Amino acid sequence: RILKTFVLQLPESKEVTLLDEAGSALVSSRVGTPTVTVPGSDSQEIEGALMSRFSVDDDLLPTAVVAVRLGGGNDGWLVGRVNLEEMWRMVDRIRVGEQGVAMLVGMRGQLLAHGHLDEKQRVARGENLSSHPLLLALENPEDGEPTPPLASAEYDNGRDAVLGVAAHVPALGWMVIVEQPQSEAYAMATRLQSQLGIAIG
């Protein structure tokens, strides 16, 4: 009953299961057979919890399994499945100007959320952004330089020439990227340049 109540109170949680040390389910919020196991070697440790890589569920939303070891280390695991539907909605609400949008990139460059409606299919495909110019700037600083907290660049994202800014989310090892078309980002400067040209002429 406690596990079911927990799932109902947290919309991000889809299942919570208590596993013994051998990985067998003791109790679960799920009516049927539990679907979660302790994440494997490709998981990421975040403040003592293990988080698996994200995959796409039946609703085409990114989902991951999070596990926390109980007690002194031999008392089993509390394992839950979470999805990012609420976070998708938050990313969708972020706008810079009229056309600027945000993206969320998970560990190893996995695209988790995109604020542009036409680009959400890239999340469903599990697209990897490791070669994105902003990720390269953050993860591969020049020799002798410390890792910067922010990076910015001008580049073509396949739709427009954009101005992009990226920042780390240190606790998760994720990154937030905001892109705005250069035509909009530099609109005021372009108008001012034209006005100055006319005035000087």
Side-chain angles (χ1 to χ4, degrees):
R1 189 178 298 117
I2 291 173
L3 295 183
K4 289 179 179 178
T5 301
F6 182 82
V7 169
L8 290 173
Q9 290 178 344
L10 289 178
E12 296 85 1
S13 299
K14 296 304 176 186
E15 175 186 343
V16 179
T17 298
L18 181 64
L19 304 178
D20 63 18
E21 190 62 25
S24 300
L26 300 175
V27 64
S28 178
S29 66
R30 183 178 171 86
V31 176
T33 304
T35 64
V36 294
T37 58
V38 178
S41 58
D42 64 341
S43 62
Q44 181 181 17
E45 184 172 351
I46 303 169
E47 298 182 1
L50 296 179
M51 178 181 285
S52 71
R53 288 179 60 87
F54 278 85
S55 58
V56 177
D57 63 14
D58 295 337
D59 298 322
L60 299 181
L61 292 168
T63 181
V65 174
V66 179
V68 178
R69 185 178 283 279
L70 301 178
N74 296 310
D75 296 329
W77 296 82
L78 188 63
V79 187
R81 182 179 299 281
V82 297
N83 74 23
L84 300 185
E85 183 175 1
E86 293 298 320
M87 193 183 65
W88 266 35
R89 293 174 181 170
M90 181 188 69
V91 170
D92 286 346
R93 290 193 295 267
I94 297 174
R95 284 291 179 271
V96 179
E98 294 293 327
Q99 304 175 55
V101 297
M103 292 181 286
L104 183 65
V105 180
M107 55 183 177
R108 302 180 185 90
Q110 184 181 10
L111 180 62
L112 299 178
H114 201 299
H116 196 290
L117 181 63
D118 295 337
E119 300 295 327
K120 294 188 183 297
Q121 58 184 332
R122 297 168 60 189
V123 179
R125 293 198 303 264
E127 187 166 324
N128 190 285
L129 299 185
S130 297
S131 60
H132 192 284
L134 291 176
L135 268 67
L136 292 175
L138 282 176
E139 295 180 346
N140 302 298
E142 296 182 7
D143 293 340
E145 294 292 327
T147 301
L150 297 170
S152 61
E154 297 177 356
Y155 52 91
D156 192 310
N157 66 1
R159 297 189 319 272
D160 301 292
V162 299
L163 173 64
V165 179
H168 277 289
V169 182
L172 297 172
W174 296 357
M175 295 184 195
V176 175
I177 298 176
V178 176
E179 294 180 342
Q180 186 179 25
Q182 292 181 26
S183 57
E184 182 180 39
Y186 298 135
M188 185 179 295
T190 302
R191 287 197 301 270
L192 180 59
Q193 183 181 36
S194 299
Q195 293 168 0
L196 286 174
I198 293 172
I200 292 172

